[in-house]
Amino acid sequence: MSLRTFIFGLAASFGVAWLFIIVVPFIKMRNLEPIQLNEATDGTTGIFYPKRTGRITNGALVYAENGCYLCHSQLIRPTYAGNDLYRSDWGGLKADPDRGDTRRETNVYDFSGEKFAQIGVSRMGPDLSNVGLRVSANYATGGDPAKWFYNHLYNPRQDPKLWKSTCPPFRFMFSERLITGNPSNDAIAIVDDGKKEIVPDSDAQALVSYLLSLKKDQAVPAVLNFAPPKNKG
Ligand code: HEC
């Protein structure tokens, strides 16, 4: 084999993969076309635009900085590639009080407002693409979902059932401060015989606002709605 063939072969084997795994998806996803809603399948007309509220940009940064993506995915895979859609409340709620079963696969619009789609590296912990809704509906019933998140970040082993949780505590995102007057609304604990309170810092607030924005609660156009077949699961 001549050196020329070798170099050409090397460039082709890495180049083709780079083109199709990096360049083509990048170009396609950078310029997302608005989706036209279809009267027949969506029951309405107009343009679909993803709704998301919260401190998404800086919350996503805190999420990235603290390596949450190392253990948590944000990707509900198609059923041919895994059983994510059938895991309890991962891809939407199985029994949404208003809309019934809202589970569906992830689509690119789910990452709107984020610089990177943090699909994750491994799945040590549960998928977080619907964690905002899951926590509000299942864990923090009646309570404040933001408080649930603060407590989890402060001490993931607080719940006796999760005494072995390997989710790291992120206590450096909280401060202990002296109570003057009444305790603050977002205090997660009162310590030191009622003299001090533990409150989330701005990083924890941004992160929790971001986690709360991870909700699969919006109806998406039929062309994007890869939901499980209604007769199964
Ligand atoms: C070392 C791996 C690891 C890292 C890093 C990690 N987690 Fe976790 N996480 C887990 C595991 C394992 C669980 C499941 C046990 C539990 O619920 O505590 C979990 C559970 C959770 C849950 C509860 C989800 C549910 O539906 O019950 C949330 C929310 C969460 N993690 C948020 C985070 C955030 C935010 C970060 C980054 C600041 C993070 N985790 C970093 C491993 C990790």
Side-chain angles (χ1 to χ4, degrees):
M1 192 197 310
S2 71
L3 183 69
R4 223 179 121 192
T5 330
F6 175 69
I7 302 280
F8 181 75
L10 201 66
S13 36
F14 285 100
V16 171
W18 171 76
L19 196 70
F20 286 105
I21 297 178
I22 313 276
V23 181
V24 172
F26 176 76
I27 294 172
K28 271 173 79 175
M29 288 179 194
R30 190 182 47 168
N31 293 318
L32 284 179
E33 295 277 321
I35 296 181
Q36 187 87 42
L37 295 167
N38 184 327
E39 177 82 72
T41 46
D42 301 318
T44 174
T45 52
I47 299 286
F48 166 74
Y49 52 92
K51 287 196 203 106
R52 214 173 153 187
T53 50
R55 292 171 63 181
I56 295 157
T57 318
N58 50 2
L61 204 68
V62 181
Y63 186 91
E65 277 169 358
N66 289 286
C68 312
Y69 62 91
L70 291 169
C71 299
H72 290 284
S73 58
Q74 280 186 40
L75 182 74
I76 302 302
R77 292 172 297 177
T79 307
Y80 66 77
N83 65 351
D84 300 355
L85 270 177
Y86 297 98
R87 302 231 190 157
S88 131
D89 299 339
W90 272 23
L93 293 185
K94 190 175 173 188
D96 188 291
D98 304 320
R99 292 176 29 226
D101 190 345
T102 57
R103 292 174 299 165
R104 63 169 174 83
E105 292 165 15
T106 295
N107 64 53
V108 284
Y109 294 89
D110 289 330
F111 302 100
S112 63
E114 291 189 51
K115 193 164 178 205
F116 305 103
Q118 309 202 57
I119 58 173
V121 173
S122 73
R123 235 178 217 172
M124 296 272 284
D127 185 277
L128 297 184
S129 36
N130 187 43
V131 75
L133 198 58
R134 188 160 70 232
V135 165
S136 315
N138 298 351
Y139 305 159
T141 35
D144 177 4
K147 275 262 169 69
W148 186 94
F149 277 116
Y150 288 135
N151 280 311
H152 176 88
L153 289 175
Y154 191 77
N155 180 10
R157 295 184 171 180
Q158 206 169 43
D159 178 348
K161 282 201 295 296
L162 295 172
W163 64 279
K164 273 209 280 194
S165 172
T166 47
C167 197
F170 293 92
R171 290 198 188 154
F172 52 85
M173 293 186 194
F174 295 81
S175 319
E176 212 175 273
R177 69 177 182 210
L178 219 55
I179 302 178
T180 44
N182 290 328
S184 353
N185 282 340
D186 56 359
I188 60 159
I190 310 289
V191 289
D192 219 359
D193 288 334
K195 287 200 216 80
K196 288 183 177 163
E197 60 183 2
I198 294 171
V199 281
D201 291 342
S202 69
D203 267 8
Q205 287 168 0
L207 180 61
V208 167
S209 174
Y210 169 77
L211 293 170
L212 280 167
S213 80
L214 296 172
K215 288 181 177 172
K216 292 228 184 330
D217 61 348
Q218 186 187 4
V220 295
V223 284
L224 283 178
N225 193 5
F226 311 109
K230 288 283 177 254
N231 55 347
K232 283 193 197 157

